[in-house]
Amino acid sequence: MVAILLSLTDLAVYGVLRLYAVRSIRWSRIVRPVFLINFAESRQIRRAFRSIRNTLPEITYVFLLFMFSLLMFSLMALKLFAERNLQTAEGLPYFRNYLEIVFDLYVLVTTANSPDVMMPAFDFSSWYALFFIAFVIVNTYIFMSLFLAVVYNNYKKHLKNEIRKLAYMKRRKMIEAFNLLKEEEGEQFVVREARWKQLVKLVAPDTSNSHQELLLRISDDEQKGFVDKKSFMQLADLLNIQVVTLKIRRHPLARWAPALYGSAPSRLLRSAVRHRAFVWTYDAIILINAIFIALDEESPYISYAEWVFLALYIIEILLKVYTYEPREFFGKTQFWNWFDTLIIFAALTATILNATLKSTMKYNSQQILDIVFILRVLRLIRIVDSIQRFQVIMNTLINIVPTMLTFGGLTLVVYCVFAIIGMELFHGKIQYFPANSNAPHALECGNPALKDSLFARGRYCKNNFNNFASSLIVLMELTVVNQWHVFANGFANVTVQPAKLYFIAFHIVMVIIIVNIFVSFILEAFFVEYSLEKSEVETAIEQKIQELGMGVQEDELHQEQLLDNMESAEHELEGEGGTKPQSKGLVFKIASKRYRTVDALLQRMFEAEIPLEDEGPSFEEILNLSPTSAVPRSPNSESVA
């Protein structure tokens, strides 16, 4: 509402001034990115902004100490070098203006102007190198590390506080639901089976009947016809666990040619394809193929080898389709199977086309063929993922993808704000001209103030704030940090020297705060994933599914049916030659854990510390929980059955 009010006020003022031909600045444009945050889908972005807001007080103290150190070192530099009459490589006075010294040393903190800023003093006396070494140690290594430590500590503290609120809120909601549905059964209150099924169908309408029966079997282990309070409290966890329901399906060849498909040689062949050695063999072939791709493409032996590799890949696909049920092999969740098949047939098509054109038209499309084979080498990712030591890293990378999108939205908002400010400050100050242009001051980016500057000599003219797209590119380059001081000096030369504050502010907001928060999230994601991986934490519900004997281990399915990472509600398995038909009518598989968010993992770890009989604090106490407050206990938590 404030953003809308400011925009309407600015629009009215701007319209009145235009009537009198008075130029004004559209200052309300910088609040427009606020609208991006207030979309209903931008909840995670708002949460990231809350993390920044909560972190700012602690960062402020560290930043003040950092500025004190920077100003002290700048004062020492002024006293050390001002009277030496030193000059820079460009012939400019060296360290004679205090504000210029502060800026140059701030740039040195980012290492963007190292060692250039030191060289005039170092050339005068080698002892002066000690000053810059001390400055880098204190400010670059110590204070920048302190920024990361403070950001990470506060981010972790507030994140766990939010997770704690969510966990207790869920516990309270489940208690309320039980109290609404409970009926008296002997000396205890329970939820009847019919009402329990009605509830599950209402809150999870996509749950299959077989999946629902499994959940009821877990909740009502003794099949008494009702669910007690303790089991009912686990319902939310039950519904959150992705369970795949498997059915028996025979291979088409087992129906069309049962004698041939069930023969001893056929069973031996399918057993060999299912064996892990088959995967290892083709992993080795992919590695060898990658080496051949890097070799001299003009050699005829390399060309012949590509045909051999292509034939091996086609044989691999045919053997897998023969072994595994085709509809499951090409299921919608089988990304790698689709990827391998498409790449192989694209390579086959490109190879045949290349050979045909080369023989008839003397045309060589080897570049296209190289791209296809390079894509084929991407299967190396599967080799890395199959190594146990690397799985924690791979799981972390997969889990942080949603949060990377969140921080991408956060970065976009910050970029939009600074891009709008940059266009208001620097629009039209720098122009880009082609290399052969004869326009006046073309070599100085259209502005004589840039004559002989590093900005002009580096031909950075296309890095300007003349439009929104160019502004975003400049901000991306500033985020990388390298040469950012050249940009700051260039735009300060064409405007005023205080314009450098714009670039310093962007560095503080984007690099010191937002990037450090992103690094903090990656650290927390890795620690959570690592702790779960090392301890192999499983919830009681997951363990119970396996205890009932109705579960299929994920690694068994990976070897037997290539059904890893399936997330849909119902799937089918081949019968003959595949997984042995189960005596039970239901066969289940817990879906892969690697697609859970870090928040879900943190909530799961925190809930594991709460006893099931603990009802937790009241709603008012939950909402008022702070990162430093102790967890209040329910007064009747000790007596809850």
Side-chain angles (χ1 to χ4, degrees), residues 336-394:
W336 285 111
N337 295 340
W338 280 102
F339 179 81
D340 291 344
T341 305
L342 291 175
I343 291 299
I344 288 171
F345 282 98
L348 177 63
T349 304
T351 303
I352 295 175
L353 182 62
N354 180 65
T356 304
L357 294 176
K358 191 174 182 179
S359 61
T360 59
M361 304 174 57
K362 306 298 181 183
Y363 174 78
N364 188 2
S365 60
Q366 185 66 34
Q367 292 79 7
I368 300 176
L369 197 59
D370 288 343
I371 294 175
V372 174
F373 283 123
I374 289 172
L375 290 174
R376 191 72 177 90
V377 176
L378 289 178
R379 287 191 65 198
L380 292 171
I381 298 175
R382 296 190 71 174
I383 302 177
V384 174
D385 191 41
S386 65
I387 300 175
Q388 185 70 23
R389 296 287 184 179
F390 293 158
Q391 285 185 357
V392 172
I393 300 175
M394 295 298 295

Side-chain angles (χ1 to χ4, degrees), residues 198-254:
Q198 185 180 5
L199 174 65
V200 172
K201 204 65 180 177
L202 180 66
V203 299
D206 295 332
T207 303
S208 64
N209 292 331
S210 56
H211 187 185
Q212 185 181 113
E213 290 297 327
L214 170 66
L215 300 184
L216 180 60
R217 177 74 182 275
I218 296 169
S219 300
D220 182 14
D221 193 18
E222 299 179 3
Q223 300 183 359
K224 297 179 180 179
F226 58 80
V227 177
D228 60 19
K229 182 177 182 179
K230 183 177 179 179
S231 299
F232 184 85
M233 296 291 291
Q234 299 176 352
L235 180 57
D237 295 324
L238 282 170
L239 294 175
N240 280 331
I241 295 176
Q242 301 246 351
V243 178
V244 178
T245 307
L246 305 172
K247 292 183 179 180
I248 304 301
R249 170 182 285 176
R250 300 178 65 193
H251 195 286
L253 290 177

